[in-house]
Amino acid sequence: MSTVLKRRMAEQFYNAGYSLFQEGRYDQALEELSRAEEAFRRLEARGHPWGHSLPNGVSGLANTFALQGQCHQKLGDYRKAVISYESSLINATFEQKRPFRSFTAAVFTNMAWCYEKEPSATDASSPDSLLNRELEIDTSFRFPFSLRPELIPPARLYELEPELHRNLREFYERAKKEDADFRHRNKRSEDAAMKRMSFFVWGILLTIWIVYGLIVAEALLVR
Protein backbone atom coordinates (compact mmCIF):
# COMPACT_ATOMS: atom_id res chain seq x y z
CA MET A 1 0.00 0.00 0.00
CA SER A 2 1.38 3.42 -0.94
CA THR A 3 2.09 6.15 1.59
CA VAL A 4 -0.73 8.28 0.19
CA LEU A 5 -3.25 5.48 0.72
CA LYS A 6 -1.94 4.81 4.23
CA ARG A 7 -2.33 8.46 5.09
CA ARG A 8 -5.87 8.52 3.72
CA MET A 9 -6.72 5.48 5.81
CA ALA A 10 -5.33 7.13 8.95
CA GLU A 11 -7.37 10.25 8.24
CA GLN A 12 -10.50 8.15 7.65
CA PHE A 13 -10.05 6.55 11.08
CA TYR A 14 -9.64 9.99 12.61
CA ASN A 15 -12.69 11.42 10.80
CA ALA A 16 -14.78 8.43 11.87
CA GLY A 17 -13.70 8.99 15.47
CA TYR A 18 -14.50 12.70 15.21
CA SER A 19 -17.99 12.00 13.84
CA LEU A 20 -18.69 9.53 16.67
CA PHE A 21 -17.41 12.08 19.20
CA GLN A 22 -19.83 14.68 17.87
CA GLU A 23 -22.64 12.16 18.23
CA GLY A 24 -21.68 11.58 21.86
CA ARG A 25 -20.59 7.99 21.25
CA TYR A 26 -17.30 8.38 23.07
CA ASP A 27 -16.40 4.73 23.63
CA GLN A 28 -16.86 3.96 19.94
CA ALA A 29 -14.97 7.12 19.01
CA LEU A 30 -12.01 5.93 21.10
CA GLU A 31 -11.93 2.66 19.15
CA GLU A 32 -11.63 4.52 15.84
CA LEU A 33 -9.11 6.97 17.29
CA SER A 34 -6.99 4.08 18.55
CA ARG A 35 -6.78 2.86 14.94
CA ALA A 36 -5.96 6.39 13.78
CA GLU A 37 -3.22 6.69 16.42
CA GLU A 38 -1.60 3.44 15.31
CA ALA A 39 -1.80 4.42 11.64
CA PHE A 40 -0.34 7.91 12.21
CA ARG A 41 2.43 6.48 14.39
CA ARG A 42 3.46 4.08 11.62
CA LEU A 43 3.58 6.88 9.06
CA GLU A 44 5.66 9.18 11.23
CA ALA A 45 7.97 6.42 12.47
CA ARG A 46 9.01 5.84 8.88
CA GLY A 47 10.29 9.37 8.52
CA HIS A 48 7.38 11.00 6.73
CA PRO A 49 7.42 14.77 7.34
CA TRP A 50 5.17 16.38 9.90
CA GLY A 51 4.16 18.87 7.21
CA HIS A 52 1.36 16.47 6.23
CA SER A 53 -1.14 17.95 8.64
CA LEU A 54 -4.90 17.90 9.01
CA PRO A 55 -6.98 20.94 7.92
CA ASN A 56 -6.21 22.80 11.17
CA GLY A 57 -2.49 22.76 10.30
CA VAL A 58 -1.56 20.34 13.11
CA SER A 59 -0.24 16.81 12.67
CA GLY A 60 -2.67 13.90 12.59
CA LEU A 61 -1.11 12.28 15.65
CA ALA A 62 -1.42 15.41 17.82
CA ASN A 63 -5.03 15.87 16.72
CA THR A 64 -5.78 12.23 17.49
CA PHE A 65 -4.33 12.44 21.00
CA ALA A 66 -6.24 15.66 21.71
CA LEU A 67 -9.54 14.16 20.55
CA GLN A 68 -8.87 11.04 22.64
CA GLY A 69 -8.41 13.38 25.58
CA GLN A 70 -11.78 14.98 24.94
CA CYS A 71 -13.44 11.55 24.79
CA HIS A 72 -11.89 10.50 28.11
CA GLN A 73 -12.85 13.85 29.60
CA LYS A 74 -16.48 13.39 28.56
CA LEU A 75 -16.42 9.87 30.04
CA GLY A 76 -15.08 11.24 33.34
CA ASP A 77 -11.71 9.47 33.16
CA TYR A 78 -9.58 12.53 33.88
CA ARG A 79 -6.31 10.64 34.37
CA LYS A 80 -6.51 9.14 30.86
CA ALA A 81 -7.63 12.50 29.50
CA VAL A 82 -4.53 14.20 30.96
CA ILE A 83 -2.24 11.53 29.52
CA SER A 84 -3.78 12.00 26.06
CA TYR A 85 -3.57 15.80 26.23
CA GLU A 86 0.06 15.70 27.40
CA SER A 87 0.88 13.21 24.61
CA SER A 88 -0.52 15.61 22.01
CA LEU A 89 2.27 18.07 22.94
CA ILE A 90 5.24 15.70 22.89
CA ASN A 91 6.32 16.46 19.31
CA ALA A 92 5.65 20.20 19.45
CA THR A 93 9.13 20.90 18.01
CA PHE A 94 8.05 19.44 14.66
CA GLU A 95 4.70 21.24 14.43
CA GLN A 96 3.92 24.39 12.48
CA LYS A 97 4.19 27.14 15.09
CA ARG A 98 1.21 29.34 14.29
CA PRO A 99 -1.46 26.61 13.93
CA PHE A 100 -0.02 24.77 16.92
CA ARG A 101 -0.40 27.84 19.15
CA SER A 102 -4.15 27.89 18.51
CA PHE A 103 -4.30 24.12 18.98
CA THR A 104 -2.47 24.20 22.33
CA ALA A 105 -4.68 27.00 23.67
CA ALA A 106 -7.68 24.65 23.58
CA VAL A 107 -5.64 21.69 24.83
CA PHE A 108 -4.31 23.70 27.80
CA THR A 109 -7.83 24.75 28.81
CA ASN A 110 -9.11 21.18 28.77
CA MET A 111 -5.95 19.83 30.41
CA ALA A 112 -6.11 22.32 33.28
CA TRP A 113 -9.77 21.44 33.87
CA CYS A 114 -8.88 17.74 34.07
CA TYR A 115 -5.90 18.35 36.35
CA GLU A 116 -8.23 20.21 38.71
CA LYS A 117 -10.34 17.06 38.91
CA GLU A 118 -7.37 14.96 40.02
CA PRO A 119 -7.76 13.95 43.70
CA SER A 120 -4.37 15.41 44.66
CA ALA A 121 -5.32 18.75 43.10
CA THR A 122 -7.67 19.38 46.04
CA ASP A 123 -4.52 20.37 47.95
CA ALA A 124 -4.17 23.30 45.53
CA SER A 125 -6.59 25.23 47.73
CA SER A 126 -4.10 24.95 50.61
CA PRO A 127 -0.58 25.22 49.13
CA ASP A 128 0.93 25.40 52.62
CA SER A 129 0.15 21.71 53.04
CA LEU A 130 2.13 21.03 49.85
CA LEU A 131 5.04 23.23 50.86
CA ASN A 132 5.26 21.69 54.31
CA ARG A 133 5.64 18.20 52.84
CA GLU A 134 8.94 16.80 51.68
CA LEU A 135 8.99 16.81 47.90
CA GLU A 136 9.96 13.47 46.45
CA ILE A 137 11.44 12.76 43.04
CA ASP A 138 10.44 9.85 40.86
CA THR A 139 12.53 9.61 37.69
CA SER A 140 9.86 7.59 35.87
CA PHE A 141 7.79 10.77 35.44
CA ARG A 142 8.56 13.67 33.14
CA PHE A 143 5.53 16.04 33.21
CA PRO A 144 6.34 18.68 34.23
CA PHE A 145 9.08 17.46 36.55
CA SER A 146 10.09 14.05 37.80
CA LEU A 147 7.84 14.45 40.86
CA ARG A 148 5.67 11.78 42.43
CA PRO A 149 2.51 11.51 40.31
CA GLU A 150 0.24 12.95 43.01
CA LEU A 151 2.36 16.14 43.09
CA ILE A 152 2.24 16.73 39.34
CA PRO A 153 -1.33 18.17 39.10
CA PRO A 154 -0.72 21.25 41.31
CA ALA A 155 2.64 21.90 39.64
CA ARG A 156 1.12 21.55 36.17
CA LEU A 157 -1.86 23.72 37.12
CA TYR A 158 0.47 26.62 37.86
CA GLU A 159 2.30 26.06 34.56
CA LEU A 160 -0.95 26.05 32.60
CA GLU A 161 -2.78 28.87 34.41
CA PRO A 162 -0.29 30.91 36.47
CA GLU A 163 -2.64 33.87 36.96
CA LEU A 164 -5.47 31.70 38.18
CA HIS A 165 -3.28 29.64 40.52
CA ARG A 166 -0.91 32.24 41.93
CA ASN A 167 -1.13 30.58 45.33
CA LEU A 168 0.85 27.65 43.88
CA ARG A 169 3.80 29.73 42.69
CA GLU A 170 6.01 29.03 45.72
CA PHE A 171 5.28 25.30 45.49
CA TYR A 172 5.98 25.35 41.74
CA GLU A 173 9.29 27.21 42.08
CA ARG A 174 10.42 24.90 44.86
CA ALA A 175 9.45 21.80 42.90
CA LYS A 176 11.22 23.12 39.82
CA LYS A 177 14.41 23.89 41.76
CA GLU A 178 14.48 20.54 43.56
CA ASP A 179 13.92 18.73 40.28
CA ALA A 180 16.74 20.69 38.60
CA ASP A 181 19.07 20.01 41.54
CA PHE A 182 18.22 16.32 41.45
CA ARG A 183 18.89 16.08 37.71
CA HIS A 184 22.16 17.99 38.12
CA ARG A 185 23.35 15.68 40.89
CA ASN A 186 22.27 12.65 38.91
CA LYS A 187 24.09 13.89 35.81
CA ARG A 188 27.28 14.53 37.78
CA SER A 189 27.18 11.06 39.30
CA GLU A 190 26.58 9.55 35.86
CA ASP A 191 29.47 11.58 34.41
CA ALA A 192 31.73 10.45 37.24
CA ALA A 193 30.72 6.82 36.69
CA MET A 194 31.45 7.17 32.96
CA LYS A 195 34.89 8.62 33.71
CA ARG A 196 35.69 5.77 36.08
CA MET A 197 34.56 3.27 33.46
CA SER A 198 36.71 5.00 30.81
CA PHE A 199 39.78 4.88 33.05
CA PHE A 200 39.11 1.21 33.76
CA VAL A 201 38.72 0.31 30.07
CA TRP A 202 41.77 2.30 29.01
CA GLY A 203 43.74 0.73 31.85
CA ILE A 204 42.89 -2.76 30.60
CA LEU A 205 43.80 -1.82 27.01
CA LEU A 206 47.08 -0.26 28.12
CA THR A 207 47.95 -3.39 30.11
CA ILE A 208 47.20 -5.59 27.08
CA TRP A 209 49.38 -3.41 24.84
CA ILE A 210 52.27 -3.50 27.34
CA VAL A 211 52.07 -7.29 27.71
CA TYR A 212 51.82 -7.72 23.95
CA GLY A 213 54.83 -5.41 23.47
CA LEU A 214 56.88 -7.38 25.97
CA ILE A 215 55.99 -10.65 24.27
CA VAL A 216 56.99 -9.27 20.85
CA ALA A 217 60.21 -7.79 22.22
CA GLU A 218 61.14 -11.07 23.90
CA ALA A 219 60.45 -12.99 20.69
CA LEU A 220 62.69 -10.62 18.73
CA LEU A 221 65.52 -10.88 21.27
CA VAL A 222 65.39 -14.68 21.22
CA ARG A 223 65.94 -14.63 17.47
Side-chain angles (χ1 to χ4, degrees):
M1 187 184 296
S2 69
T3 300
V4 173
L5 288 176
K6 288 178 182 177
R7 180 146 200 96
R8 284 179 184 169
M9 182 179 294
E11 290 176 357
Q12 285 172 1
F13 287 140
Y14 174 82
N15 290 334
Y18 184 75
S19 297
L20 289 165
F21 171 80
Q22 288 186 312
E23 294 172 13
R25 297 157 66 186
Y26 307 120
D27 285 317
Q28 291 170 282
L30 284 169
E31 291 177 8
E32 293 297 327
L33 292 171
S34 179
R35 296 186 182 98
E37 178 191 341
E38 184 179 354
F40 281 125
R41 279 183 185 277
R42 285 179 179 173
L43 282 168
E44 286 152 8
R46 293 178 181 177
H48 295 287
W50 290 83
H52 296 296
S53 56
L54 295 187
N56 64 349
V58 176
S59 70
L61 190 58
N63 274 295
T64 300
F65 278 131
L67 191 53
Q68 285 175 335
Q70 290 183 63
C71 289
H72 290 305
Q73 185 175 342
K74 293 289 186 182
L75 291 168
D77 194 334
Y78 305 117
R79 174 58 61 88
K80 285 185 179 178
V82 160
I83 292 171
S84 294
Y85 288 137
E86 294 282 17
S87 297
S88 73
L89 309 174
I90 288 175
N91 293 301
T93 305
F94 303 98
E95 299 284 356
Q96 299 177 57
K97 290 184 179 179
R98 191 171 294 176
F100 201 64
R101 275 200 295 268
S102 301
F103 172 82
T104 53
V107 169
F108 286 168
T109 299
N110 287 326
M111 195 192 308
W113 195 89
C114 290
Y115 268 124
E116 286 173 349
K117 297 295 181 181
E118 288 280 305
S120 57
T122 56
D123 286 338
S125 60
S126 55
D128 289 341
S129 65
L130 293 170
L131 291 168
N132 291 333
R133 286 188 223 155
E134 191 69 25
L135 291 178
E136 292 183 24
I137 302 295
D138 183 341
T139 55
S140 64
F141 288 87
R142 291 292 180 270
F143 289 113
F145 317 113
S146 43
L147 298 172
R148 292 199 324 268
E150 63 269 24
L151 294 176
I152 290 176
R156 196 67 166 122
L157 277 172
Y158 179 80
E159 267 199 336
L160 294 167
E161 298 177 333
E163 291 300 316
L164 189 61
H165 298 283
R166 290 184 214 173
N167 60 326
L168 290 172
R169 180 176 178 177
E170 189 178 349
F171 168 77
Y172 176 84
E173 294 296 342
R174 179 185 159 194
K176 187 176 180 180
K177 182 179 183 306
E178 292 204 11
D179 177 79
D181 290 345
F182 173 83
R183 290 177 186 273
H184 182 65
R185 289 194 304 271
N186 194 49
K187 186 176 185 303
R188 287 180 63 183
S189 63
E190 286 179 357
D191 290 344
M194 286 296 294
K195 285 180 181 178
R196 287 195 297 271
M197 180 61 73
S198 296
F199 284 132
F200 179 71
V201 171
W202 280 109
I204 291 174
L205 290 174
L206 184 60
T207 302
I208 292 171
W209 290 336
I210 291 171
V211 171
Y212 177 75
L214 290 172
I215 292 170
V216 172
E218 185 179 353
L220 292 173
L221 288 172
V222 169
R223 288 182 184 180

